[in-house]
Amino acid sequence: TLLFTEYVEGRTLRDEFRDRSLSDLEIVQAGVQLCRALEHAHKRGVVHRDIKPENIMLLSGDTIDVRLMDFGVAQLEDRASITLDGDVVGTLAYMSPEQVEGKTVDPRSDVYSLALTLYEGLTRQNPHKGRKLQELLRDVSRPAIPPLSANRPDLPSELSAAFERAMQPDS
């Protein structure tokens, strides 16, 4: 299996979030494109495992056009991972609870991480920011993230419901 990448000129979502340069509509448009990118990868058995604002590029131009970057820790579902079972791979503040525990992850982990990334863009804060590493590792169950509607009651309730479903830990 070969993975190819293209040269991308633009800025990361982290840069855009920091500068607050994207509207809510643009964040949602980026989210739709990223969902399609993940669907494409997941249908081919690839789980990214490190979805975060730094790994998403917004191409330079007049329209929203994003690319999911850095498949360096991706896992192929039908092949043995290059990491050992129980290894924690990814960026802690965006990991699903299952990933923090070092369990085998599947596409749902990427969905959780993408939802958390977009939640941050819409609320201007990551709900895990400011927590100490030991606290995040100790509390692997991760307390429920406040609904999007709690921080952004002006957004459609359907959007908040979609985020709640995407960030629901596995039962």
Side-chain angles (χ1 to χ4, degrees), residues 9-37:
E9 189 172 326
R11 293 168 35 106
T12 66
L13 273 191
R14 169 65 61 224
D15 295 332
E16 299 292 337
F17 289 174
R18 186 176 30 252
D19 295 345
R20 298 181 179 210
S21 55
L22 295 175
S23 69
D24 294 339
L25 177 60
E26 290 171 326
I27 292 169
V28 171
Q29 288 172 333
V32 169
Q33 290 179 32
L34 291 163
C35 285
R36 288 182 183 138

Side-chain angles (χ1 to χ4, degrees), residues 1-165:
T1 301
L2 296 174
L3 293 175
F4 292 89
T5 60
E6 64 179 306
Y7 172 74
V8 177
E9 189 172 326
R11 293 168 35 106
T12 66
L13 273 191
R14 169 65 61 224
D15 295 332
E16 299 292 337
F17 289 174
R18 186 176 30 252
D19 295 345
R20 298 181 179 210
S21 55
L22 295 175
S23 69
D24 294 339
L25 177 60
E26 290 171 326
I27 292 169
V28 171
Q29 288 172 333
V32 169
Q33 290 179 32
L34 291 163
C35 285
R36 288 182 183 138
L38 284 177
E39 179 184 36
H40 182 83
H42 294 160
K43 281 183 177 178
R44 285 150 183 81
V46 177
V47 180
H48 189 283
R49 301 196 306 174
D50 198 19
I51 306 291
K52 60 185 178 182
E54 292 81 359
N55 285 342
I56 299 167
M57 293 286 293
L58 181 64
L59 276 64
S60 298
D62 296 333
T63 60
I64 297 298
D65 190 3
V66 294
R67 296 292 186 277
L68 186 54
M69 311 295 284
D70 195 0
F71 279 78
V73 296
Q75 173 180 311
L76 301 177
E77 288 183 317
D78 63 348
R79 302 221 173 120
S81 174
I82 59 169
T83 57
L84 301 173
D85 286 341
D87 279 359
V88 176
V89 176
T91 303
L92 198 56
Y94 297 92
M95 284 183 184
S96 67
E98 300 78 26
Q99 196 172 0
V100 171
E101 291 177 13
K103 294 181 179 176
T104 301
V105 297
D106 61 28
R108 293 173 293 183
S109 183
D110 284 347
V111 171
Y112 177 97
S113 299
L114 176 58
L116 189 54
T117 295
L118 298 172
Y119 181 101
E120 179 179 339
L122 292 167
T123 63
R124 306 290 187 221
Q125 62 183 2
N126 181 307
H128 301 307
K129 185 176 176 143
R131 296 182 69 193
K132 294 181 180 171
L133 175 63
Q134 297 84 356
E135 186 181 352
L136 286 171
L137 290 172
R138 190 173 47 250
D139 187 14
V140 293
S141 65
R142 300 270 175 109
I145 294 169
L148 183 62
S149 59
N151 291 304
R152 291 294 310 275
D154 57 311
L155 294 175
S157 60
E158 297 84 2
L159 186 61
S160 182
F163 274 82
E164 285 184 62
R165 281 191 308 276

